[in-house]
Amino acid sequence: MMLSSLNRATHPIFTASSSSSEFSPCIRRNSSTVPNFSPLSITHKPLHISSLHRRLTPSENKKSPTSTVCNAYEAGQPRPLDINIELPVVDGEQAAQKIKIGIYFATWWALNVVFNIYNKKVLNAFPYPWLTSTLSLACGSLMMLVSWATRVADAPRVDSEFLKSLLPVAIAHTIGHVAATVSMSKVAVSFTHIIKSGEPAFSVLVSGLVLGETFPLPVYLSLLPIIGGCALAAITELNFNVIGFMGAMVSNLAFVFRNIFSKKGMKGKSISGMNYYACLSIMSLLILTPFAIAMEGPQMWAAGWQNAVAQIGPNFVWWVVAQSIFYHLYNQVSYMSLDQISPLTFSVGNTMKRISVIVSSIIIFHTPIQPVNALGAAIAIFGTFLYSQAKL
């Protein structure tokens, strides 16, 4: 603020020494008794007010301030502003980090698309989702055990406390993985991922009921297009199947609990994302194997395998190997990405991943889709993006 001139008043408002550019505090009182001030020094230079605030005297009630303090200085000798502004500097290291994250994202999406394609091919010829899920975990576990044994990757140091915290994560991961595979064995890949885009709604619900968390209003509002879009896509799905729909819904719920347990289990643990997922795969494999045997069994597997090989030929074996390898790789890269980025960025990347999977599966499998069904999918995915932004 600048004052260009001052008029002499009956009671002086500003006091200053003519030999100093700094003005002393001036006090304007509401009291009838006005103390004697030194005469006001008139300057032809503009005055800059540096501060203006109200002050209490020790004897006065704090609720009734009766004085105003004003500090000013001459324009000829301005004060430096005490402002610390940091400008972002993009150096070589930051640029390399951005490139690294970009590579992680591109690899993550590409691996996920390839996995979903081969996984659907296997399930079309071999409709045994429990064994298919088990083979995916077994392949990844074997890959990591070999990597640790050959020292290609550093083996993690685990203890009983770590394994104890990992157990609920592994249970939730196993349920979510099997439920998603069951869903894709019954419906189109695109439909499963449209329903799975409603995971944020489950996240808010579980966080509120279990953890007692509350969220800003924009977060709740972003759930409306998610729920509405998923519902619209479901009721207009040409090949709607109750088991496929429920499998995707259960998968959403299970993965929300997995994320919650992961946050609790990872506190204070120094383990890389790659090794964390490797340990998770091994424990999930141990949990899933007896249930897979009970649900389907070796006799059904043998008969189904022979039938698939007779229909597809040797390529069927490659499909099984490919879907198992790519399942582990895409999950491993996603956990490695989470090491490098914030959960919000990860959530946005996960949304974009679903778009790539839905579009690619529709093109490759020639999935029939109605305009209203596509509209529902677009609304749900857009709602997921708004949810990610609202949690910023």
Side-chain angles (χ1 to χ4, degrees):
M1 184 182 296
M2 183 180 71
L3 300 179
S4 59
S5 64
L6 290 174
N7 295 325
R8 192 180 183 89
T10 304
H11 300 295
I13 300 176
F14 291 90
T15 64
S17 172
S18 59
S19 62
S20 173
S21 64
E22 176 66 31
F23 278 69
S24 61
C26 61
I27 302 177
R28 181 179 181 178
R29 296 187 179 276
N30 296 330
S31 175
S32 59
T33 303
V34 179
N36 293 327
F37 287 97
S38 60
L40 178 65
S41 298
I42 304 299
T43 176
H44 296 290
K45 297 180 179 181
L47 299 179
H48 292 271
I49 294 177
S50 60
S51 64
L52 182 65
H53 59 277
R54 312 188 78 174
R55 189 177 68 179
L56 300 173
T57 59
S59 61
E60 292 173 325
N61 190 337
K62 292 184 179 181
K63 295 183 180 180
S64 301
T66 59
S67 64
T68 302
V69 178
C70 175
N71 295 321
Y73 58 95
E74 291 182 358
Q77 297 181 359
R79 289 180 176 178
L81 295 176
D82 186 18
I83 300 177
N84 185 14
I85 301 176
E86 295 183 1
L87 297 177
V89 179
V90 180
D91 53 14
E93 184 177 352
Q94 289 177 327
Q97 180 70 7
K98 291 182 178 180
I99 294 175
K100 181 179 180 181
I101 294 175
I103 294 175
Y104 274 148
F105 267 49
T107 306
W108 175 24
W109 297 342
L111 292 173
N112 189 261
V113 169
V114 175
F115 157 72
N116 278 278
I117 292 172
Y118 279 110
N119 188 49
K120 184 59 178 177
K121 285 185 174 183
V122 170
L123 292 172
N124 285 340
F126 185 75
Y128 298 97
W130 288 83
L131 177 59
T132 304
S133 302
T134 304
L135 292 176
S136 300
L137 295 174
C139 181
S141 300
L142 179 62
M143 290 170 60
M144 291 309 302
L145 289 174
V146 172
S147 299
W148 293 337
T150 57
R151 296 186 178 181
V152 173
D154 295 331
R157 296 180 180 180
V158 299
D159 52 21
S160 59
E161 288 297 324
F162 173 77
L163 297 177
K164 183 179 178 180
S165 64
L166 186 65
L167 180 59
V169 184
I171 293 174
H173 178 73
T174 304
I175 296 174
H177 175 43
V178 173
T181 308
V182 169
S183 176
M184 283 192 283
S185 69
K186 299 296 183 179
V187 296
V189 175
S190 57
F191 179 71
T192 298
H193 279 271
I194 291 172
I195 302 303
K196 284 178 67 63
S197 66
E199 185 175 324
F202 286 86
S203 179
V204 171
L205 178 64
V206 172
S207 297
L209 296 179
V210 178
L211 303 180
E213 293 184 5
T214 58
F215 300 91
L217 181 60
V219 172
Y220 294 106
L221 293 178
S222 68
L223 300 182
L224 297 179
I226 294 176
I227 298 173
C230 289
L232 182 61
I235 62 177
T236 58
E237 173 66 24
L238 296 176
N239 299 314
F240 180 84
N241 181 278
V242 175
I243 296 178
F245 175 76
M246 293 304 299
M249 297 287 281
V250 171
S251 178
N252 280 338
L253 186 61
F255 282 139
V256 167
F257 277 104
R258 182 193 67 177
N259 296 337
I260 293 175
F261 294 143
S262 295
K263 291 179 181 179
K264 292 183 177 181
M266 286 296 291
K267 286 185 177 179
K269 305 295 183 182
S270 56
I271 183 171
S272 66
M274 179 180 67
N275 282 337
Y276 184 84
Y277 180 71
C279 296
L280 179 62
S281 293
I282 294 173
M283 184 171 289
S284 295
L285 175 63
L286 297 177
I287 295 172
L288 177 59
T289 300
F291 287 96
I293 294 174
M295 292 296 296
E296 295 172 348
Q299 293 182 350
M300 296 178 63
W301 295 339
W305 188 274
Q306 291 178 358
N307 185 46
V309 172
Q311 290 183 355
I312 307 300
N315 284 338
F316 173 74
V317 179
W318 159 245
W319 290 356
V320 173
V321 174
Q323 73 92 25
S324 302
I325 293 176
F326 283 110
Y327 173 79
H328 176 79
L329 290 179
Y330 103 76
N331 276 286
Q332 189 178 71
V333 172
S334 70
Y335 271 82
M336 293 169 65
S337 301
L338 192 57
D339 268 353
Q340 304 291 327
I341 59 178
S342 66
L344 177 64
T345 306
F346 183 85
S347 179
V348 174
N350 198 39
T351 303
M352 301 305 294
K353 177 205 73 175
R354 296 207 187 282
I355 295 177
S356 61
V357 171
I358 291 172
V359 173
S360 62
S361 64
I362 290 175
I363 295 174
I364 292 175
F365 294 106
H366 305 287
T367 305
I369 184 170
Q370 295 178 332
V372 65
N373 186 260
L375 177 62
I379 293 174
I381 294 172
F382 180 67
T384 305
F385 176 77
L386 293 179
Y387 169 83
S388 302
Q389 298 299 308
K391 291 197 70 177
L392 180 61

